[in-house]
Amino acid sequence: MNKKYFYALVSVLSLCGFFLIWYLVTEVLHWFPPQALPDPMHIVRSFIRKWSSRAPDGGTLPQHIWASLHLALYGFLLGAVIGIPLGIIMGWNRTIDLLVTPMFQILRPIPPIAWIPIMLIFFGIGQTAKAAVIFVSTVTNCILNSYYGIKQTRDVHLWVSRTFGASSWQMLWTIAIPSALPMIFAGLNLSLNVAWMSLVAAEMLAANKGLGYMIQYNRMMARADYVIVGMIAITLVGAILTKILSMVENAVVKGRHLGEK
């Protein structure tokens, strides 16, 4: 507990130091003009104002957050529902592994943002294109981590279960999948972050609402304060989503912290 409080104190002090430096270079030393980098208090006022103000981009901050959030979660959940079972089957069944892996290895190196133009061509400027980008970015990481999680199942555990007469299905559900859960959740965590970033990038190119659109619009209007407000909103929402996923992992993955005690 002492270490926990110590690390929390260090984190708080580092944040205070960051904002202090920000205040010094903007309000005291005037190294940056207010139009380029507003001071922290100006950002706080803009953040509060944007909760109820639609100017200048036509939407309040909660509206932009919801527009991005529900689309990101839709693509993320769809990618997880398809990617995790597919990765498990690829890792467990040799025949399916040989059939699917070559195609997957061809598509895997393509970064998620690179899919944005092709999705816009196929689906046009709309929600479907952005959901498809999020799905592609999510499903790839879910397949990869689930696949390697299953592959890392210890042979001795499978041998012992086979000795006691367990079927292949029983070995998969009672040994392989539980041992692969940490890798699966690592893939979900990575997929969530990538999906969130991919959505914001897609909204910057083609959207009329969302945090990415808000940042891009205010950049063109030279409103650096609202650009930073959008960036802060992305950080806060991403941190909340990561925390929720971590809580789910702690509840599902049994014995995750036994080695830390």
Side-chain angles (χ1 to χ4, degrees):
M1 293 299 294
N2 291 333
K3 288 185 178 180
K4 181 179 179 180
Y5 289 133
F6 174 75
Y7 291 142
L9 178 61
V10 171
S11 299
V12 172
L13 291 177
S14 65
L15 287 175
C16 293
F18 170 77
F19 287 112
L20 178 61
I21 294 174
W22 184 359
Y23 178 81
L24 290 175
V25 299
T26 53
E27 281 295 287
V28 179
L29 301 176
H30 299 287
W31 286 358
F32 299 94
Q35 297 80 6
L37 182 62
D39 65 273
M41 291 307 301
H42 184 86
I43 299 299
V44 172
R45 290 191 294 269
S46 297
F47 188 90
I48 296 173
R49 187 186 312 117
K50 192 59 181 169
W51 276 91
S52 58
S53 174
R54 293 176 176 269
D57 46 68
T60 63
L61 184 59
Q63 289 173 338
H64 287 304
I65 291 176
W66 173 245
S68 297
L69 183 59
H70 89 276
L71 191 60
L73 291 179
Y74 175 77
F76 169 76
L77 293 176
L78 183 62
V81 168
I82 294 177
I84 292 176
L86 182 57
I88 291 174
I89 295 173
M90 288 170 56
W92 189 251
N93 188 286
R94 179 64 176 169
T95 302
I96 296 178
D97 187 9
L98 293 174
L99 289 173
V100 179
T101 299
M103 179 180 62
F104 176 72
Q105 293 296 340
I106 293 175
L107 299 177
R108 184 173 65 88
I110 302 175
I113 296 178
W115 288 97
I116 295 176
I118 194 69
M119 294 303 177
L120 291 177
I121 293 174
F122 276 116
F123 301 109
I125 299 175
Q127 302 292 80
T128 305
K130 292 187 281 293
V133 172
I134 299 169
F135 168 77
V136 171
S137 63
T138 299
V139 74
T140 303
N141 292 311
C142 287
I143 291 175
L144 188 64
N145 281 59
S146 301
Y147 174 83
Y148 284 112
I150 295 296
K151 284 293 186 182
Q152 290 178 2
T153 304
R154 293 184 178 181
D155 293 334
V156 64
H157 293 166
L158 298 177
W159 179 81
V160 170
S161 62
R162 192 178 293 111
T163 301
F164 282 93
S167 65
S168 178
W169 184 256
Q170 290 173 327
M171 289 189 292
L172 174 62
W173 277 101
T174 60
I175 298 175
I177 292 180
S179 65
L181 282 178
M183 284 286 291
I184 292 174
F185 272 96
L188 286 173
N189 194 14
L190 178 61
S191 297
L192 183 61
N193 293 327
V194 173
W196 190 237
M197 292 185 294
S198 300
L199 173 64
V200 173
E203 289 176 340
M204 287 184 176
L205 294 178
N208 56 10
K209 56 184 176 180
L211 291 173
Y213 168 77
M214 172 184 163
I215 291 174
Q216 181 71 353
Y217 186 93
N218 284 284
R219 181 195 66 83
M220 295 186 295
M221 298 296 292
R223 291 298 304 268
D225 54 343
Y226 284 148
V227 170
I228 297 175
V229 167
M231 295 168 63
I232 293 174
I234 291 172
T235 301
L236 293 177
V237 174
I240 293 172
L241 293 176
T242 301
K243 182 62 177 179
I244 293 174
L245 185 59
S246 178
M247 293 170 62
V248 174
E249 180 182 2
N250 291 335
V252 173
V253 182
K254 304 300 181 182
R256 179 173 178 265
H257 299 295
L258 288 180
E260 300 176 4
K261 294 182 180 180

